[in-house]
Amino acid sequence: MMAPMGRNTRRLALAVALAGLPGILGGEPVNEARIDGKAPTLSAPRVRPAAVAGSWYPGSRKDLEHLLDELLAAAPDVTVQGPGPIRAVIAPHAGYRFSGPVAAAAFKPLRGQTFQRVMVLAPAHREPVRGLAVPRTTHFETPLGRIPLDQSALAWLRGHPLVSESDLPHRQEHAIELELPLLQRVLTPGWALVPILVGSLDRAGVAAAAHLLHPLADATTLVVISSDFTHYGLNYNYFPFQNDADTAQRLQDLDQGAVAHLIARDAAGLLDYRHRTGITACGLLPMAILLDMLPPGATPTLARYDTSGRILGDYENSVSYLGMVFTAPDALAAASARLGPEQMGFLLRLARETVQRAVSGRKDSIDLATLAAGRPVPAGLEQPAGAFVTLRKDGQLRGCIGTIGPVTPLLQAVTDNAVNAALRDPRFAPVTAKELDRLTLDVSVLSPMRPITSLDDYDVAHHGIVLSKNGRRAVFLPEVATEQGWDKATTLTHLARKAGLPGDAWQAADARFEVFTSQAIHGQVNPPTPGDKTP
């Protein structure tokens, strides 16, 4: 089985260079480059001390507790919308004098709640980052005490090509630190932190980051997105309009355009809005990652909005602050609901029609309504999901291409992979029209990936598995081991070799694994008669 080829041309490639914000109103200019370098394994606690305590917020425990309690008491009692608990929060990260009331409004609904993990995604302001950056430290410290880092989650992230590991970009970064005292004050103690700085990413990188982080956002995890919104004026080199009596309303309208995409859970639209307007929301990429992670039932609630221009009575330079919470009945990492026979049958018909058209050279698009034979197109197929399309000729593999993660809508994933399996699997010549009568077709829909830290959690009879090591990756669908009659060790040996690694590479300490399940449906590419009843 192979990953898809040539898909990036369909993706929006946005090099998002966000304008920064100096001083305690907000962040510094974003620099975009890779951080390289490795460090020895830590054997003792290593603490990242507070970097901006005493300037951006009080440096003494007593004064900080007093200020936080005042901010939380003054914050409005927000009526959180939607079913289910709070799964995610967007909060600003400027100095508490400016952003504190908005941040308090966002965090106040979480008072007394218990989480095992808090994942904070923030823009990198101080040092160059490409992709995601995690620290090597074991604890972050504020005047309220030390917060342990979730080492199992960080171990899952380390070594991924999208992730760099370095303390340098975290050392003076304020965007994560400003969220921590509020979290310490509202949440029940006992949670561990996953601090992630987000640097340069295009649209495909945002989707890949969401896929990587998705398994960590389980029912015991709170996701916090740290972001200020529009940075307006000479200090930020952003003048979408002149400063006049209408500036306050224009800033609100500009910010509301981004909020509309947050409410719609539209990551691509949010990135496009940045491209069209130049809006200087420093955490736009972390927000886009969140939108790609949110489940379909997520409901946003706007907690509060404000600007430093209103606070200071001067809009010559102004930064906007917004607090938002997202509820959902299911965790962000909840397994996708199983598709029903009608949905799976439609996907099989779609893949069959796509293969027939691709092999015959037809370029016209498929009309989904016609394919549904007058019935509505089954619901639920527009949600992103991983999928594989497998072709066999006389029972022997003839092509197999798939998408591991939920990057594109399922309908698109099946269409793309059907074309690729028929024409672009590099192991085979393109399928010809005279072969169609001898071909069978499998469509497999994948559940979200779940990281495992022990191979005891891999059930070779029921799980698909992904091996990642040294920048190489390979996947087997759940049925592969069963069809081949392999036991667990044999399966893992073949998987390592498929990744271009030695057969025993799966036993190495730095080998990382994800498991998943799949639903599959089988049929012929060319039904034997017009009355074929294959679903």
Side-chain angles (χ1 to χ4, degrees):
M1 318 283 175
M2 301 191 68
M5 303 169 58
R7 299 172 59 90
N8 287 341
T9 57
R10 295 187 179 91
R11 293 173 180 161
L12 180 63
L14 295 179
V16 183
L18 300 178
L21 174 59
I24 63 172
L25 292 180
E28 297 295 336
V30 174
N31 299 303
E32 302 177 344
R34 179 178 297 281
I35 293 176
D36 294 313
K38 298 290 183 181
T41 302
L42 299 176
S43 58
R46 184 172 175 179
V47 179
R48 185 268 192 195
V52 294
S55 55
W56 295 50
Y57 63 91
S60 76
R61 182 185 188 102
K62 180 179 178 181
D63 291 343
L64 179 55
E65 288 178 340
H66 179 71
L67 175 60
L68 293 175
D69 289 344
E70 282 189 336
L71 290 171
L72 291 165
D77 293 320
V78 177
T79 301
V80 177
Q81 304 297 313
I86 295 174
R87 304 290 186 185
V89 173
I90 297 175
H93 55 234
Y96 282 176
R97 175 192 171 193
F98 297 97
S99 72
V102 173
F107 286 117
K108 187 173 183 177
L110 288 164
R111 262 187 158 171
Q113 294 195 26
T114 299
F115 294 92
Q116 294 181 13
R117 177 189 297 132
V118 178
M119 187 190 316
V120 182
L121 278 71
H125 295 92
R126 303 288 182 173
E127 295 291 338
V129 168
R130 181 175 297 161
L132 310 178
V134 298
R136 298 178 179 132
T137 51
T138 61
H139 296 76
F140 272 36
E141 189 171 52
T142 80
L144 302 187
R146 289 183 179 178
I147 305 169
L149 270 55
D150 187 331
Q151 295 301 322
S152 63
L154 292 174
W156 163 246
L157 298 174
R158 292 185 185 110
H160 191 280
L162 199 63
V163 180
S164 61
E165 184 186 15
S166 174
D167 291 333
L168 181 60
H170 288 268
R171 190 170 297 154
Q172 296 297 320
E173 180 57 58
H174 62 277
I176 292 176
E177 181 179 332
L178 266 292
E179 313 297 353
L180 300 182
L182 278 157
L183 287 164
Q184 288 174 296
R185 202 60 177 162
V186 299
L187 297 183
T188 300
W191 50 276
L193 174 67
V194 183
I196 301 171
L197 291 176
V198 181
S200 59
L201 289 171
D202 62 11
R203 175 68 186 111
V206 167
H211 172 59
L212 173 66
L213 300 176
H214 185 268
L216 300 177
D218 59 19
T220 68
T221 299
L222 174 69
V223 178
V224 176
I225 304 300
S226 179
S227 180
D228 295 335
F229 273 68
T230 298
H231 304 43
Y232 170 81
L234 180 63
N235 285 352
Y236 318 114
N237 195 30
Y238 184 57
F239 297 96
F241 37 76
Q242 292 297 316
N243 180 22
D244 56 26
D246 296 324
T247 297
Q249 186 59 53
R250 288 172 178 165
L251 285 173
Q252 186 169 345
D253 292 344
L254 179 63
D255 290 322
Q256 184 57 44
V259 171
H261 293 292
L262 293 174
I263 292 173
R265 303 193 304 274
D266 180 9
L270 183 65
L271 292 172
D272 182 63
Y273 187 71
R274 163 62 178 86
H275 182 68
R276 289 186 289 109
T277 67
I279 185 173
T280 47
C282 55
L284 183 138
L285 290 176
M287 287 187 284
I289 292 171
L290 172 66
L291 295 182
D292 274 344
M293 293 171 65
L294 289 172
T299 304
T301 300
L302 180 61
R304 191 165 179 173
Y305 172 84
D306 206 347
T307 65
S308 65
R310 187 205 65 79
I311 294 169
L312 296 173
D314 181 1
Y315 284 93
E316 183 175 352
N317 293 286
S318 180
V319 181
S320 303
Y321 314 118
L322 180 140
M324 182 175 281
V325 299
F326 292 84
T327 59
D330 299 314
L332 275 61
S336 297
R338 289 185 65 82
L339 300 178
E342 183 181 4
Q343 294 164 308
M344 292 298 294
F346 187 86
L347 293 177
L348 179 62
R349 293 195 298 275
L350 176 63
R352 173 189 290 160
E353 180 74 12
T354 301
V355 170
Q356 293 170 348
R357 288 167 177 254
V359 170
S360 66
R362 290 179 60 181
K363 303 296 186 181
D364 55 316
S365 60
I366 297 173
D367 182 71
L368 297 182
T370 301
L371 194 63
R375 293 177 293 178
V377 176
L381 302 183
E382 288 292 341
Q383 296 302 318
F388 274 73
V389 173
T390 305
L391 298 174
R392 291 183 174 86
K393 178 181 176 181
D394 301 330
Q396 299 298 311
L397 185 65
R398 186 63 179 85
C400 183
I401 299 288
T403 310
I404 298 175
V407 176
T408 59
L410 183 54
L411 289 171
Q412 188 67 50
V414 170
T415 302
D416 288 350
N417 292 324
V419 173
N420 290 333
L423 303 181
R424 298 172 187 148
D425 188 328
R427 298 168 295 180
F428 304 99
V431 170
T432 63
K434 66 181 181 180
E435 296 178 89
L436 292 177
D437 289 339
R438 300 168 63 185
L439 292 182
T440 58
L441 178 71
D442 292 339
V443 177
S444 301
V445 180
L446 278 55
S447 73
M449 303 290 154
R450 176 173 62 87
I452 57 174
T453 56
S454 170
L455 286 170
D456 292 339
D457 296 327
Y458 168 43
D459 183 344
V460 70
H462 297 99
H463 286 154
I465 188 164
V466 180
L467 164 66
S468 302
K469 185 180 187 298
N470 295 342
R472 297 179 178 269
R473 204 172 191 216
V475 58
F476 279 151
L477 294 177
E479 55 265 31
V480 170
T482 301
E483 290 176 353
Q484 299 297 325
W486 294 337
D487 60 15
K488 183 182 293 188
T490 304
T491 301
L492 294 169
T493 299
H494 282 283
L495 185 64
R497 290 171 179 163
K498 182 180 178 182
L501 299 166
D504 62 353
W506 60 273
Q507 302 180 57
D510 61 343
R512 300 164 59 251
F513 298 94
E514 300 165 87
V515 295
F516 60 94
T517 59
S518 72
Q519 288 179 261
I521 189 167
H522 175 82
Q524 292 177 286
V525 173
N526 273 354
T529 68
D532 175 48
K533 299 300 182 182
T534 302

